[in-house]
């Protein structure tokens, strides 16, 4: 008599099919919107006469996203993931509508703030949904689905957004996503009904301290954008805002992060610096191509697609190499490649070289991010205990968002204030290169003699 083999259900089996599709769709749409906006923002800025607020349109959502991450995590611990998930989607949709119908750049930036708040909270809420709905042995599969949902928009998002802008209007890059987000949410709803009565621990205290620090960090970053060009005292206010932001983010990171303590603190810091350098430069790539080289939005979007494709390929290669490639070594190579790519972009802007060089530059930089990002995630978990995995994973995400937001805020001030005396593109790429150099120099501090937990 032959034994019967029972196949375990997968993430696309009947029980999980719709929530898998819906959750991946929400991740996909969040990623698509992020990359699409990078492509169309030069057109938006020109249409709404919003060059002064260009960087704030990117830094703002990253800053408010930190608030959303902290708030949603604490809320989900107390009440389960359903309420924060529905609320975050609602805030994200409101942000899309406000931005889509914006008559001025100020209104559009306000919509972007709401998008960031909702997107940050949505990411955390979805991770908690995975923990509550899927069995542990399906977690790797659903997280792989999330990763794929990020890769596909990287490949098609910029080009689609550019085409939509050329054929219709940039408004539809925001408004067209609204219906898709609501459809994706409806796919998730049935699986959440069993959690609707609350699936958290009401005894978990509200983390008002961490929430307050996250708000202060966000306000400081936003204030840097708004106050940095005040006549006379602008530079002083900008320095004060940077100091306040760094003080505020400190409690959200492992101890010793800002001092580059060897081990996990340096892992978090290097990840944040690399993200700051990469994204601080990336938002100006389409701007440079459309402004100086008169490239169409569609072709400008292809420059980001090349970088995203390189990121995806490099991430796949490092994953297949496994332990044959040391995580510390992979991060060191990755930071060098990010710096080289930014250096090539800087040379393109400074020497007014052929536009093809900047496209090649972003392929190099994307390769570096693809090598280092997965390995910093692996190092973070390896240097954490079960009790600190949540905090350290959150800190890693905060470092990404905060580092990018702060870099964009500073580049925005420099771009606006120095435009009359120097090439603004050369200025912002130079700052990104300086941040990239810091990441390269600190990368060797990731190694530690004895992997051990770090205090939070």
């Amino acid at each position: 008599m032959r034994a019967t083999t029972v196949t375990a259900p997968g993430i696309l089996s009947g029980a999980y099919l719709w929530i898998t599709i819906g959750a991946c769709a929400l991740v996909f749409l969040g990623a698509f919107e992020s990359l699409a906006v990078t492509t169309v923002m030069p057109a938006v800025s020109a249409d709404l006469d919003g060059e002064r607020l260009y960087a704030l349109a990117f830094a703002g959502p990253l800053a408010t996203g930190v608030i959303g991450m902290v708030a949603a995590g604490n809320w989900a611990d107390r009440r389960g993931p359903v309420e924060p998930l529905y609320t975050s989607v609602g805030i994200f949709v409101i942000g899309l509508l406000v931005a889509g119908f914006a008559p001025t750049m100020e209104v559009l930036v306000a919509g972007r703030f709401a998008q960031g708040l909702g997107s940050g909270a949505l990411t955390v809420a979805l991770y908690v949904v995975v923990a509550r709905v899927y069995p542990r042995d399906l977690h790797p599969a659903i997280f792989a689905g999330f990763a794929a949902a990020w890769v596909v928009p990287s490949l098609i998002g910029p080009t689609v957004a550019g085409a939509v802008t050329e054929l219709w209007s940039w408004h539809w890059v925001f408004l067209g996503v609204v219906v898709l987000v609501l459809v994706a949410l409806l796919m998730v709803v049935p699986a959440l009904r069993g959690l609707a009565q609350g699936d958290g621990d009401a005894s978990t205290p509200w983390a008002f301290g961490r929430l307050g620090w996250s708000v202060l960090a966000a306000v400081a970053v936003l204030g840097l954008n708004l106050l940095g060009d005040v006549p006379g005292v602008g530079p002083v206010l900008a320095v004060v805002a940077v100091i306040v932001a760094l003080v505020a983010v400190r409690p959200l990171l492992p101890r010793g992060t800002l001092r580059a303590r060897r081990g996990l603190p340096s892992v978090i810091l290097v990840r944040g610096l690399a993200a700051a350098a990469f994204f601080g430069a990336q938002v100006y790539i389409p701007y440079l191509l459309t402004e100086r080289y008169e490239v169409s939005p569609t072709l400008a979007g292809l420059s980001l697609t090349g970088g995203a494709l390189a990121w995806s390929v490099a991430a796949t290669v490092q994953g297949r190499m496994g332990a044959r490639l040391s995580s510390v070594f992979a991060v060191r190579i990755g930071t060098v490649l990010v710096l080289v790519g930014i250096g090539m972009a800087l040379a393109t802007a400074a020497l007014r070289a052929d536009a093809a060089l900047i496209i090649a530059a972003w392929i190099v930089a994307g390769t570096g991010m693809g090598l280092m990002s997965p390995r910093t995630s692996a190092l973070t978990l390896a240097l954490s205990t079960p009790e600190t995995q949540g905090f350290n994973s959150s800190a890693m995400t905060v470092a990404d968002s905060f580092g990018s937001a702060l870099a964009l805020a500073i580049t925005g001030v420099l771009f606006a204030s120095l435009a009359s005396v120097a090439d603004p593109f050369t200025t912002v790429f130079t700052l990104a290169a300086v941040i990239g150099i810091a990441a390269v120099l600190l990368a060797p501090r990731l190694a530690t003699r004895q992997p051990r937990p770090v205090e939070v």
Side-chain angles (χ1 to χ4, degrees), residues 285 288-289 292-293 341-362 423 425-426 429:
I285 298 294
L288 174 65
L289 291 172
R292 180 169 296 172
Y293 295 92
I342 293 172
M344 292 170 64
L346 172 58
T348 305
L351 303 176
R352 297 180 180 266
D354 191 277
L357 180 60
I358 204 167
I359 297 174
W362 226 238
D423 175 24
F425 293 107
T426 300
F429 290 143

Side-chain angles (χ1 to χ4, degrees), residues 276-358:
F278 182 85
F279 293 108
Q282 178 173 268
V283 299
Y284 290 97
I285 298 294
Y287 200 172
L288 174 65
L289 291 172
T290 56
E291 179 78 12
R292 180 169 296 172
Y293 295 92
E294 299 182 351
V295 171
S296 70
T298 302
L299 292 178
L302 286 174
S303 66
L304 303 186
T305 299
L309 181 60
W311 186 326
S312 175
V313 171
T316 301
V317 170
Q318 67 79 32
R320 291 183 176 178
M321 293 185 70
R324 289 176 294 168
L325 176 65
S326 160
S327 290
V328 174
F329 187 57
V331 173
R332 295 178 70 173
I333 296 175
T335 54
V336 169
L337 290 176
V338 170
L339 177 59
V340 170
I342 293 172
M344 292 170 64
L346 172 58
T348 305
L351 303 176
R352 297 180 180 266
D354 191 277
L357 180 60
I358 204 167

Side-chain angles (χ1 to χ4, degrees), residues 11 103 262 301 349:
I11 60 172
R262 184 174 291 276

